[in-house]
Amino acid sequence: MQLKKNFLVASLFLTLSFLTLHAQNNNKRSASIDIINYTFKLTLSDSSNVINGMADVTVKFKKPTTVFSLDFVEKQSDGTGMSVSSVLEGGKQIPFTQENNQLQLNIIPAKPEDIKTYTIAYQGIPQDGLIISKNKYGDRTFFGDNWPDRAKNWLPVVDHPSDKATVEWDIIAPPYYQTIANGILIEKTNLNNNQTLTRWKMEEPIPTKVMVIGVARFATEYLKEVNNIPISSWVYPQDRDNGFKDYAAAVPILEFMISHVGPYPFEKLANVQSKTRYGGMENAGNIFYNENSVTGNGDHEDTIAHEIAHQWFGDSASELNWYHVWLSEGFATYFENLFFENQYGRDSFVKKMKADREKALRYAKQSQAPIVDTTVTNYLMLLNPNSYEKGSWVLHMIRKELGDDLFWKCMQTYYNTYKYGNALTQDLEHVIERVSGKNFSTFFKQWVFESGHPKLDVAWQFQANTLSLDVKQIQNNQFNFPLDVKINYADGTNDITTIQVSEKSQHINITSKKNVSSIELDPNTWLFFEQMSLKQKI
């Protein structure tokens, strides 16, 4: 996901309702049930914003169970929210209650390994999650926008990234709309003059955060297939020419990700102009981009690369809980940059990495939180430069430590280990240690689980064939890291040497037969740090 450009994160937080922590406390429920599949049958109309829904929820039980709950927002005082009219188990009505954003089902006792399907009938006006509105051209649209746990506003689900399921969509809408959804198109039928049924089926398990539909008037272009994966563009008819031009950037990006990480995890890739509140939202197999992403100038290639990278990291290999969202956003940010390095060269990559570093350093001045911040109760607060840019830099420094070949092997192994599953930061660390044979415990502790970064005061002097460096870390906590130093000589040549900084104040001598004229810190942009001062001692 990318936040809209020129859109302050703080304003996003102010405009959205404050999210509670109940979905994060999912351990008890996940110990009892596992959702296997959802089938959502939804009827949409232009006469009102009311949706009529029928959800078939297939559950596998892990322990003896008589009661379980799904996340589902009940009807509110303003008239929004969902009202459940019936719940069926095996064709029989069962008792249920709906309150506190939970639908509680009192079921026929289930045993471990039982698999049962529950049919939930409901209707209402979505308070959030399914955005029913008009696009910038005044045309009515319906777009799912679930991140982080807003699916519960229009779908009865376990609204947590740890519970993945397959999904099928049966959408009935006026015939002049087209419907896009997760999975592949399996049916399109004109039911009558006023309604068309469109069915999509997703056979790979995904979290509810990326489980969506889009219903609107679209111009659609099928670009090509890459490794048997069809790529298509879905844009507003008024933006047809510009949209098809802009979204064609998806082809080389998909080729890059497949060649460097592994096979694409889903059955199609559709790039969709939409009403998402984000710059882009990585919905599995059908990415939604903000409607202003279409310009005809190709100036949102970075967003497209970011969201396509999410198909591997975030959608297929997902974070186990929200606190580890950098495994999604940090990865997508870095792989966006890696695509630019591959496509446009090292200078383009370094420019993006430096910009990302500056953004994360600015954020550190207002927040001293670590990347994995378990104090957060509003998940939207996790959409910050720690999760994105600093997370990207963590991967960049891992790459420096491992070298390119071993880095890519670690990334591929991590993805293959957790594709269609979930991981924590510790799981990534263990994969890297297993593949590389190196210990990364200190690395992850200081860069991910603790706050701060190195702030360096460096003084140097050259005399008697010795370059003397005094390196001081002036931040509160002490870091242990390699620092590349470029030594420029009076004869116009230079060398790069690496020193290990492991103390708050450190004196280092480097022997040199050439006269040293100046030095530079981190000349090739490999370290997340802040240079406070660099001076020559007289």
Side-chain angles (χ1 to χ4, degrees), residues 482-494:
L483 172 65
D484 289 346
V485 178
K486 183 179 181 181
I487 305 172
N488 298 311
Y489 301 112
D491 64 3
T493 61
N494 61 74

Side-chain angles (χ1 to χ4, degrees), residues 256-257 260-261 313 326 330-339 341 346 349 353 391-415 428 431-433 435-438 440 443-444 526:
F256 168 80
M257 289 297 298
H260 285 77
V261 181
F313 301 108
W326 84 276
F331 270 75
T333 303
Y334 193 54
F335 278 76
E336 166 197 331
N337 293 353
L338 288 170
F339 167 74
E341 180 180 29
R346 181 75 180 181
F349 170 78
M353 292 304 302
S392 170
W393 263 91
V394 167
L395 294 175
H396 187 52
M397 290 186 291
I398 291 172
R399 177 184 173 191
K400 174 63 160 60
E401 177 67 24
L402 297 177
D404 278 5
D405 290 346
L406 198 51
F407 169 79
W408 282 111
K409 185 176 181 181
C410 286
M411 294 299 100
Q412 293 160 3
T413 303
Y414 167 73
Y415 172 69
L428 172 64
V431 167
I432 292 172
E433 290 178 336
V435 173
S436 69
K438 298 183 177 183
F440 272 79
F443 179 94
F444 277 89
W526 284 110

Side-chain angles (χ1 to χ4, degrees), residues 155-446:
L155 304 170
V157 293
V158 173
D159 209 2
H160 192 273
S162 64
D163 197 325
K164 292 184 167 184
T166 55
V167 63
E168 184 172 346
W169 300 96
D170 295 3
I171 307 300
I172 295 175
Y176 39 82
Y177 290 128
Q178 291 169 275
T179 298
I180 182 69
N182 312 105
I184 59 172
L185 181 66
I186 59 175
E187 180 185 355
K188 187 171 184 179
T189 300
N190 293 325
L191 301 178
N192 51 52
N193 291 334
N194 300 313
Q195 292 180 316
T196 295
L197 167 67
T198 308
R199 296 177 61 211
W200 294 83
K201 187 173 184 179
M202 181 80 159
E203 297 194 351
E204 299 84 18
I206 57 174
T208 55
K209 65 174 183 171
V210 292
M211 199 178 281
V212 299
I213 61 169
V215 179
R217 292 175 173 87
F218 286 115
T220 304
E221 180 182 38
Y222 293 90
L223 291 166
K224 62 179 294 185
E225 290 190 0
V226 174
N227 289 36
N228 298 316
I229 302 300
I231 308 173
S232 59
S233 303
W234 299 59
V235 301
Y236 303 156
Q238 299 92 331
D239 284 333
R240 175 183 177 274
D241 292 341
N242 286 339
F244 289 168
K245 179 181 177 183
D246 286 344
Y247 288 176
V251 173
I253 297 167
L254 185 63
E255 291 172 338
F256 168 80
M257 289 297 298
I258 290 173
S259 65
H260 285 77
V261 181
Y264 180 71
F266 307 119
E267 294 180 273
K268 75 166 191 308
L269 175 60
N271 294 283
V272 184
Q273 188 179 16
S274 79
K275 289 290 291 183
T276 177
R277 65 187 57 177
Y278 307 108
M281 181 61 218
E282 63 269 18
N283 306 306
N286 45 280
I287 299 168
F288 287 4
Y289 302 94
N290 181 265
E291 61 182 15
N292 294 319
S293 64
V294 171
T295 65
N297 299 319
D299 48 10
H300 288 81
E301 186 179 22
D302 53 352
T303 300
I304 296 172
H306 184 101
E307 304 308 334
I308 291 177
H310 266 309
Q311 303 298 295
W312 283 260
F313 301 108
D315 293 4
S316 180
S318 308
E319 64 277 12
L320 186 64
N321 67 49
W322 302 114
Y323 301 131
H324 296 257
V325 72
W326 84 276
L327 295 174
S328 175
E329 298 302 346
F331 270 75
T333 303
Y334 193 54
F335 278 76
E336 166 197 331
N337 293 353
L338 288 170
F339 167 74
F340 270 71
E341 180 180 29
N342 182 79
Q343 192 79 353
Y344 302 112
R346 181 75 180 181
D347 289 346
S348 173
F349 170 78
V350 168
K351 181 180 179 180
K352 288 176 70 64
M353 292 304 302
K354 286 183 175 179
D356 286 352
R357 182 168 60 187
E358 287 305 308
K359 186 174 182 179
L361 291 176
R362 287 195 302 271
Y363 179 74
K365 289 178 170 54
Q366 68 185 64
S367 172
Q368 284 300 305
I371 290 178
V372 176
D373 183 3
T374 58
T375 68
V376 172
T377 56
N378 179 350
Y379 308 144
L380 288 167
M381 295 294 290
L382 295 170
L383 299 184
N384 60 53
N386 269 351
S387 298
Y388 287 76
E389 286 81 9
K390 189 176 180 182
S392 170
W393 263 91
V394 167
L395 294 175
H396 187 52
M397 290 186 291
I398 291 172
R399 177 184 173 191
K400 174 63 160 60
E401 177 67 24
L402 297 177
D404 278 5
D405 290 346
L406 198 51
F407 169 79
W408 282 111
K409 185 176 181 181
C410 286
M411 294 299 100
Q412 293 160 3
T413 303
Y414 167 73
Y415 172 69
N416 285 324
T417 302
Y418 293 101
K419 64 181 177 183
Y420 307 125
N422 297 87
L424 296 171
T425 301
Q426 294 89 334
D427 298 314
L428 172 64
E429 178 187 341
H430 296 156
V431 167
I432 292 172
E433 290 178 336
R434 185 174 71 249
V435 173
S436 69
K438 298 183 177 183
N439 188 319
F440 272 79
S441 58
T442 298
F443 179 94
F444 277 89
K445 180 176 181 291
Q446 67 184 16

